Amino acid sequence: MILQIVLILLAVNAVVFLFKKLSISSVLGMILFGIVFSVPQVVGHVDSKVIELLPSLAKIGLFILMFIAGLEVSWSMLVKERNDSLIVAFFGLVTPFILGASLMLILGYDLLVAIAVGIAMSITAEATKAKVLLELNKMKTRIGSLMIGAGIIDDVFGIVLFSAFIFFFFDLADSGLREFLNLLIILFAFFSGVFAHFLFGRE
């Protein structure tokens, strides 16, 4: 089991290294690796215990990534861009929701499915965004602070809506609570990094 985990990590890092050499964002390499890894012919050769362990390892990686993002973010810029972040977050939440829900209704799905898809599309991939900004050294810029600030606000409202939706309409309290706890972990990691940044006077 340990050998398979090591091999997977080595394979991911090899893909990341290759993409960086080609001047392509390593995030695309990770996404591509994930798609290939999920193919039944590939994942079928992996120990089931490893498959069960990977989500936990992913959460640890996510925590570390968001902590690093918090360390690198410009707190003063984040506060300065708070009003613009609210505006961007509003449209970043509403626009995907309307488009996603409308498409599902046009395709003939019922209202609950349309709402679920709309909410899912409204939630941003904050960790992916943070990774790209870190790679581009844009975390401390105005656009970086705006994207991170808007993304955090967007995710808070999106996850709360999603958790409430599946709780009230599908009675999936465990799933809703799990998603909300995942959000809290991300926020805790990020703001721990921000606090450490502020505490040690890096800015």
Side-chain angles (χ1 to χ4, degrees):
M1 184 177 76
I2 295 177
L3 178 60
Q4 286 192 348
I5 293 175
V6 172
L7 289 174
I8 291 171
L9 293 175
L10 288 174
V12 172
N13 280 280
V15 172
V16 168
F17 177 79
L18 176 62
F19 271 63
K20 285 184 176 180
K21 282 293 183 181
L22 296 173
S23 299
I24 303 174
S25 174
S26 63
V27 173
L28 293 178
M30 294 178 191
I31 293 174
L32 179 62
F33 181 86
I35 293 173
V36 173
F37 185 78
S38 64
V39 174
Q41 289 83 352
V42 177
V43 75
H45 294 287
V46 181
D47 192 315
S48 59
K49 292 182 179 179
V50 174
I51 300 299
E52 293 174 1
L53 184 61
L54 285 179
S56 297
L57 294 176
K59 287 181 181 178
I60 294 173
L62 176 62
F63 186 93
I64 294 172
L65 175 61
M66 294 308 296
F67 179 79
I68 294 173
L71 281 175
E72 294 298 326
V73 77
S74 171
W75 174 247
S76 60
M77 188 70 75
L78 200 64
V79 173
K80 183 179 179 181
E81 299 298 330
R82 63 187 183 279
N83 293 330
D84 289 341
S85 294
L86 283 170
I87 296 173
V88 173
F90 173 78
F91 286 103
L93 185 70
V94 173
T95 304
F97 176 82
I98 293 175
L99 292 176
S102 298
L103 179 60
M104 290 298 101
L105 291 174
I106 291 172
L107 293 176
Y109 291 93
D110 61 40
L111 182 60
L112 287 181
V113 172
I115 293 174
V117 171
I119 293 175
M121 290 185 66
S122 299
I123 300 172
T124 61
E126 196 68 9
T128 303
K129 187 190 306 177
K131 176 64 175 175
V132 173
L133 289 171
L134 285 170
E135 284 187 355
L136 297 174
N137 293 319
K138 298 293 184 181
M139 188 64 77
K140 293 183 179 181
T141 64
R142 179 178 183 275
I143 188 65
S145 300
L146 184 62
M147 290 176 66
I148 290 295
I152 290 174
I153 297 170
D154 194 327
D155 281 359
V156 169
F157 282 103
I159 292 296
V160 169
L161 285 174
F162 183 76
S163 301
F165 177 76
I166 62 177
F167 176 78
F168 287 110
F169 290 98
F170 296 98
D171 195 26
L172 297 174
D174 291 341
S175 298
L177 180 60
R178 191 181 309 118
E179 292 301 324
F180 188 71
L181 288 176
N182 287 336
L183 173 64
L184 291 180
I185 290 172
I186 292 173
L187 292 177
F188 176 76
F190 178 76
F191 284 107
S192 293
V194 171
F195 179 72
H197 179 148
F198 178 78
L199 186 65
F200 293 105
R202 294 187 57 190
E203 183 179 345

